Amino acid sequence: MKVGILTLPLWHNYGGILQAYALRLAIEKMDHQAILIDVKRESISKRKQAINQTKRWVKARILYRLRRPYYPNEKEMASISSDTRAFVDNKIKPSSGHIRLSFVPKFAKRLDAIVVGSDQVWRPEYCPDLKLYFLGFAKKRLKKISYAASLGTDDWRFDPKETSRCGKFLRKFDAVSVREDSAVDLIKDNMQVDAVQTCDPTMLLSDTDYLLAADLKPEHPSGGRGIFCYVLDPKEPRMQGLPNIAAKLNYELFFVMPKVFDKGYAKSSADYIFPPVEEWIKALQESDFVITDSFHGCVFSIIFNKPFIAIANTVRGRTRFESLFKVFGLEDRLFDSVADIDPEILNKSLDWDEINKIRENEKQKGFGFLTDALKIGSK
């Protein structure tokens, strides 16, 4: 069976890239041909580009002190993502090639099934086209599945029109799974669809799988480098005080992230390029401890058995952390800010035998869901 995987556009989000890699490989291990539908947003007119540039100028010159977001355009995005996109292009194969969203319905004609997921594909603020990600274009013959699709939040963000239309599309799915426990009830209450909770696709693979993906030997040394700080929003007040944690643990801090995109890009573009995915995986393996405000930073700490603490990122979606930590009994490792970290937790040992047992169980549930979903209606 030819199975397409539809996820959010992949640029430089390490977790987003690796969950797509994992889901494709997992489906391939089930003896299906898994194909990444590698999407990017629609191109915009020169007039729209000019308007966006003017808005950016205002943000940079007038509103900069108000900490308004400053986003790269497509050309800049391609530049800062050149090294991470190399992983997508070279290691998530086969794929559709880097296609515009509007081309997906045409590409889907050669597929037998599409799996939507994972990541926050069903969060309205993040999803570039809700109809597309609820497979509103799909013909009846196409098997429609979601795997660990995320709403990102524990409140309903769809407006009434979106709820009605997307619910109509979702009721035509063959099988629906979501990543967070809160999403099970939200989808049932608002779309009258029964969904099950499954683990993030990255948990369908082992640490060895990721080491091999990073061109590292399975016996690559673990630890010895200090505290890996995988922080998405380093300038936020909640993330200040990391050196104090390092002092308490008697480790050095190290980072694998470029400068946060801002108006300085034009003068020193090289400083904003994201390091390769392989370097990120290597940093995780060589770390002794992880501090992160990223959902996938937490997931990979669990996969690699690295002690960690997480700083909740409410804007990006706190419920993702809470749902994950509830499954593994790690609620005491989640804090609202670095300043709130309980010193006792820093040296508290983790029961990796129990955690790995839970992870294996979640992995089997995930594979079981995909196996059953891909069999539904098959000849």
Side-chain angles (χ1 to χ4, degrees), residues 117-372:
S118 171
D119 237 343
Q120 299 183 69
V121 290
W122 288 345
R123 183 169 176 173
E125 308 99 293
Y126 292 177
C127 182
D129 185 332
L130 282 172
K131 179 181 178 181
L132 187 81
Y133 281 82
F134 279 89
L135 305 183
F137 64 88
K139 302 298 182 182
K140 187 175 181 179
R141 67 159 189 84
L142 189 71
K143 193 179 296 293
K144 296 172 281 292
I145 301 163
S146 73
Y147 182 81
S150 174
L151 300 176
T153 63
D154 60 1
D155 61 324
W156 192 247
R157 299 288 178 93
F158 293 72
D159 65 32
K161 184 177 179 180
E162 291 168 342
T163 299
S164 175
R165 187 164 78 151
C166 293
K168 177 182 176 182
F169 297 144
L170 191 60
R171 286 190 286 275
K172 295 179 180 180
F173 272 51
D174 296 277
V176 178
S177 81
V178 291
R179 197 172 64 185
E180 289 80 40
D181 55 353
S182 58
V184 174
D185 291 333
L186 286 171
I187 286 177
K188 178 66 174 178
D189 294 343
N190 292 280
M191 292 181 167
Q192 293 75 55
V193 172
D194 292 319
V196 298
Q197 183 185 9
T198 53
C199 65
D200 189 80
T202 53
M203 288 193 164
L204 299 176
L205 303 186
S206 68
D207 56 347
T208 298
D209 289 317
Y210 294 111
L211 291 175
L212 292 174
D215 302 318
L216 299 171
K217 294 182 179 180
E219 61 271 18
H220 186 82
S222 177
R225 195 169 169 185
I227 301 175
F228 177 29
C229 298
Y230 179 44
V231 179
L232 303 179
D233 299 308
K235 295 183 179 181
E236 290 294 319
R238 58 187 170 78
M239 292 309 307
Q240 306 314 304
L242 290 175
N244 296 331
I245 304 301
K248 290 175 182 177
L249 286 170
N250 197 29
Y251 283 132
E252 296 290 328
L253 298 174
F254 71 97
F255 300 76
V256 182
M257 288 288 273
K259 290 184 66 174
V260 176
F261 194 83
D262 59 21
K263 63 179 183 179
Y265 172 81
K267 293 182 179 179
S268 57
S269 59
D271 294 335
Y272 297 83
I273 296 175
F274 282 75
V277 174
E278 293 86 346
E279 186 174 329
W280 188 86
I281 294 172
K282 183 179 180 182
L284 188 74
Q285 170 70 353
E286 294 178 348
S287 67
D288 298 287
F289 198 96
V290 177
I291 299 176
T292 186
D293 63 346
S294 155
F295 170 80
H296 279 109
C298 299
V299 170
F300 275 92
S301 295
I302 292 170
I303 293 171
F304 279 79
N305 285 187
K306 299 293 180 176
F308 73 101
I309 50 176
I311 307 302
N313 194 320
T314 303
V315 174
R316 294 179 185 267
R318 183 188 179 97
T319 191
R320 300 175 302 146
F321 295 84
E322 294 173 338
S323 182
L324 174 70
F325 285 26
K326 187 186 299 182
V327 170
F328 288 92
L330 298 172
E331 294 94 333
D332 59 352
R333 308 195 84 82
L334 181 63
F335 299 91
D336 291 320
S337 71
V338 171
D340 293 333
I341 293 173
D342 180 359
E344 295 291 326
I345 205 70
L346 297 175
N347 293 305
K348 180 181 178 181
S349 61
L350 289 164
D351 186 347
W352 290 116
D353 287 339
E354 180 62 23
I355 290 171
N356 290 335
K357 189 182 299 182
I358 295 171
R359 181 161 62 89
E360 181 61 26
N361 184 55
E362 292 299 311
K363 173 183 173 181
Q364 294 306 318
K365 285 168 55 179
F367 270 109
F369 171 84
L370 286 170
T371 299
D372 292 343

